[in-house]
Amino acid sequence: MSKLCIIGTGYVGLVTGTCFAEVGHQVICVDNNAEKVRMLREGGIPIYEPGLEEMIPRNVAAGRLSFTDSIAEGVQGSDIVFIAVPTPPQPDGSVDLSFIEGVAREIAGCMTAYKIIVDKSTVPVKTGEKVAETIKRYNRSKVDFDVVSNPEFLREGFAVEDLMHPDRVVVGVTSPRPVKAMQEVYEPFGAPIIVTDINSAELIKHAANSFLALKISYANALSVLCEATGANVVEVANGMGLDKRIGRQFLNAGIGFGGSCFPKDLSAFIKIAEQLGFDFRLLKEVQTINSAQMDRFVRKISDTLWVLKDKRLGVLGLAFKQNTDDVRMSPAIDLCQRLLKEGAVLRVYDPKAMDKAKAILPPGDRITYVDAMEDVAEGCDALVVATEWPDFAKLDLERLREQLSHPIVFDGRNIFDKQEMERLGFLYKSVGR
Ligand code: UGA
């Protein structure tokens, strides 16, 4: 059992801390938002993530998981301190590292014995060096410490599953001293542990996310060719994906990727490369294809419905992907904003993300939030699918056809069976099929 402190209780920090406690470690989670800490202490959970709701109370009750707003309390009560604070983008695409720097200074100021300080946030290569310099500078007690890079690869919506069963764990170090302790932390998860230098560990994270984004843009580019030739992008992806060297995952064409990671990490990686003297044009093209994909989808809607002003559209999905309440950089929200700008009137539904969406798209004359997916299309001119929630595919299609004033469906996530939709008499437009 290790004594661990996690600083930051966002999607990464909270799920990581909880899963560490689940396997038996002693975990204290720190957040500077006292309100959030109070909520967590009272059993509330600030995010939706499948499995988390049962795990947090179980581990709190077992005395393995606790919450505080004091970094000093967290650091002094543990041997390993994980930093999981936000690294938001700046207007020029580079990463704002001020939260990391601030936390590093605070940790340094309250260390009274040897600590391992682990960066879990996604950061540009060479950040570990800066963190080490900062800690050295503000380390009043002059105690020993090691800095480790341990990037996180969890997907939102599958965070618990990904953390409990990781494909691999990456541990970047500058000395052998912290390796054994890190191995002990991850040993219960049974995944291969890759021990490397810090710069490589930091690069692995940006390289992996950018490659996954590249795969999606590749599929989206293929969808254009499929539409031009009558081929089917799903069949093409299946045919490619069975090749073990390629793999089927992240080859789903749609309205483009979003979320708080891929768009940000791509921009950051392009910027990092630029600062290192390399023009990463390949990744710039990934961005271009991604935004063109949304443009093409909106055009598909307006080409079919012609004038969008005062057209009533039902929209299924607001989250940036299935299984999450997260709407940050959500393609679904972007799509709604574009449709509203064209003058459309929207009825929207999402199983988990409506509360968070309301902060960006306040309900009003032009946008109504409905409580059930079955009601979203009532009296609408067409239905639009914007997020790949599995439940949406279970919609009663005959009822849907009766609810729509014209049986038109724009499926931005290819969730319905094309032949079935056509057999039922829908004018059905999906992506690359
Ligand atoms: C992503 C990575 O998958 C994680 O490994 C990583 O840890 C995380 O970023 C992070 O850096 O924190 P996440 O952003 O939670 O995870 O979600 P993904 O499942 O990767 O989906 C990202 C976007 O791509 C979504 O908008 C999704 O709809 C879209 N997508 C995904 C597609 O359009 N097609 C696909 O085939 C797959």
Side-chain angles (χ1 to χ4, degrees):
M1 183 203 81
S2 313
K3 283 158 82 182
L4 311 175
C5 164
I6 319 283
I7 302 179
T9 59
Y11 284 89
V12 170
L14 185 58
V15 186
T16 306
T18 307
C19 290
F20 282 163
E22 180 77 6
V23 298
H25 298 306
Q26 191 66 40
V27 181
I28 179 159
C29 290
V30 184
D31 204 290
N32 62 1
N33 181 338
E35 178 55 28
K36 203 166 165 188
V37 169
R38 192 188 54 77
M39 177 183 182
L40 284 160
R41 279 181 173 161
E42 287 170 2
I45 299 173
I47 54 169
Y48 171 74
E49 194 60 60
L52 202 59
E53 223 168 343
E54 301 89 63
M55 278 169 95
I56 292 183
R58 182 164 66 231
N59 285 285
V60 170
R64 288 189 298 261
L65 180 63
S66 60
F67 303 97
T68 176
D69 60 4
S70 155
I71 288 191
E73 186 188 337
V75 170
Q76 282 157 9
S78 45
D79 301 320
I80 309 182
V81 181
F82 290 82
I83 304 179
V85 296
T87 49
Q90 309 202 84
D92 69 348
S94 66
V95 181
D96 174 1
L97 292 167
S98 57
F99 296 113
I100 299 268
E101 194 264 352
V103 164
R105 259 190 292 135
E106 268 203 70
I107 296 171
C110 59
M111 293 191 316
T112 49
Y114 171 73
K115 301 285 167 192
I116 300 173
I117 294 118
V118 185
D119 174 50
K120 225 178 203 326
S121 305
T122 302
V123 294
V125 58
K126 296 177 103 62
T127 300
E129 288 175 8
K130 293 279 180 210
V131 169
E133 273 170 32
T134 303
I135 294 179
K136 198 165 168 208
R137 194 170 303 142
Y138 292 91
N139 176 0
R140 282 196 295 263
S141 317
K142 302 289 168 220
V143 291
D144 273 359
F145 69 92
D146 272 297
V147 169
V148 171
S149 164
N150 171 221
E152 182 47 61
F153 302 103
L154 66 82
R155 294 161 299 165
E156 284 181 27
F158 301 90
V160 171
E161 189 186 317
D162 287 349
L163 258 157
M164 296 304 288
H165 309 285
D167 288 345
R168 79 306 204 182
V169 172
V170 173
V171 174
V173 292
T174 48
S175 85
R177 188 170 175 188
V179 173
K180 192 162 166 286
M182 290 301 291
Q183 281 166 335
E184 279 166 15
V185 171
Y186 281 106
E187 196 266 329
F189 299 94
I193 299 176
I194 295 163
V195 178
T196 181
D197 62 281
I198 292 191
N199 288 345
S200 300
E202 289 168 341
L203 268 175
I204 287 170
K205 172 69 194 194
H206 271 123
N209 268 7
S210 300
F211 191 78
L212 290 169
L214 180 144
K215 265 189 108 174
I216 300 169
S217 277
Y218 194 84
N220 283 333
L222 291 177
S223 78
V224 182
L225 302 186
C226 288
E227 284 179 16
T229 54
N232 183 333
V233 76
V234 179
E235 307 280 326
V236 175
N238 289 345
M240 287 170 62
L242 279 174
D243 185 327
K244 289 194 194 69
R245 295 168 303 173
I246 297 174
R248 176 62 181 85
Q249 294 187 60
F250 284 72
L251 282 180
N252 293 325
I255 53 174
F257 56 78
S260 63
C261 301
F262 284 174
K264 176 192 92 165
D265 290 354
L266 263 181
S267 302
F269 207 29
I270 291 168
K271 196 78 195 169
I272 291 163
E274 183 189 306
Q275 283 159 354
L276 297 170
F278 178 63
D279 182 5
F280 217 146
R281 277 185 301 192
L282 177 66
L283 296 185
K284 292 180 182 166
E285 198 53 34
V286 170
Q287 293 178 314
T288 306
I289 292 170
N290 197 51
S291 55
Q293 196 70 0
M294 177 63 89
D295 296 342
R296 288 190 329 109
F297 190 69
V298 174
R299 214 175 312 125
K300 212 174 265 180
I301 299 174
S302 55
D303 282 352
T304 309
L305 300 179
W306 192 19
V307 175
L308 289 184
K309 187 166 180 302
D310 295 333
K311 289 272 159 55
R312 294 169 63 85
L313 301 174
V315 178
L316 280 178
L318 295 163
F320 82 98
K321 58 180 246 185
Q322 82 275 39
N323 284 353
T324 182
D325 62 347
D326 197 349
V327 294
R328 290 175 293 172
M329 299 287 286
S330 169
I333 298 275
D334 180 20
L335 178 59
C336 288
Q337 284 168 330
R338 288 177 189 227
L339 297 173
L340 288 168
K341 202 162 156 233
E342 297 286 324
V345 179
L346 308 182
R347 285 171 67 78
V348 299
Y349 172 77
D350 188 285
K352 295 289 173 197
M354 296 212 279
D355 285 345
K356 288 190 176 161
K358 281 176 190 167
I360 309 172
L361 298 172
D365 290 352
R366 315 297 294 179
I367 177 159
T368 307
Y369 285 76
V370 300
D371 293 332
M373 69 172 180
E374 291 78 16
D375 299 334
V376 79
E378 196 61 62
C380 287
D381 295 291
L383 177 74
V384 180
V385 180
T387 307
E388 64 274 36
W389 281 96
D391 272 359
F392 293 165
K394 298 181 195 147
L395 211 61
D396 179 343
L397 295 172
E398 309 224 348
R399 181 169 172 221
L400 172 67
R401 193 183 49 202
E402 301 317 313
Q403 287 171 321
L404 289 165
S405 56
H406 312 280
I408 306 176
V409 172
F410 300 98
D411 182 355
R413 298 294 195 165
N414 290 346
I415 64 166
F416 294 120
D417 180 38
K418 184 172 174 345
Q419 269 150 11
E420 169 78 350
M421 294 302 278
E422 284 164 1
R423 190 184 64 75
L424 288 168
F426 283 98
L427 174 59
Y428 177 64
K429 306 244 170 176
S430 54
V431 180
R433 301 191 299 169

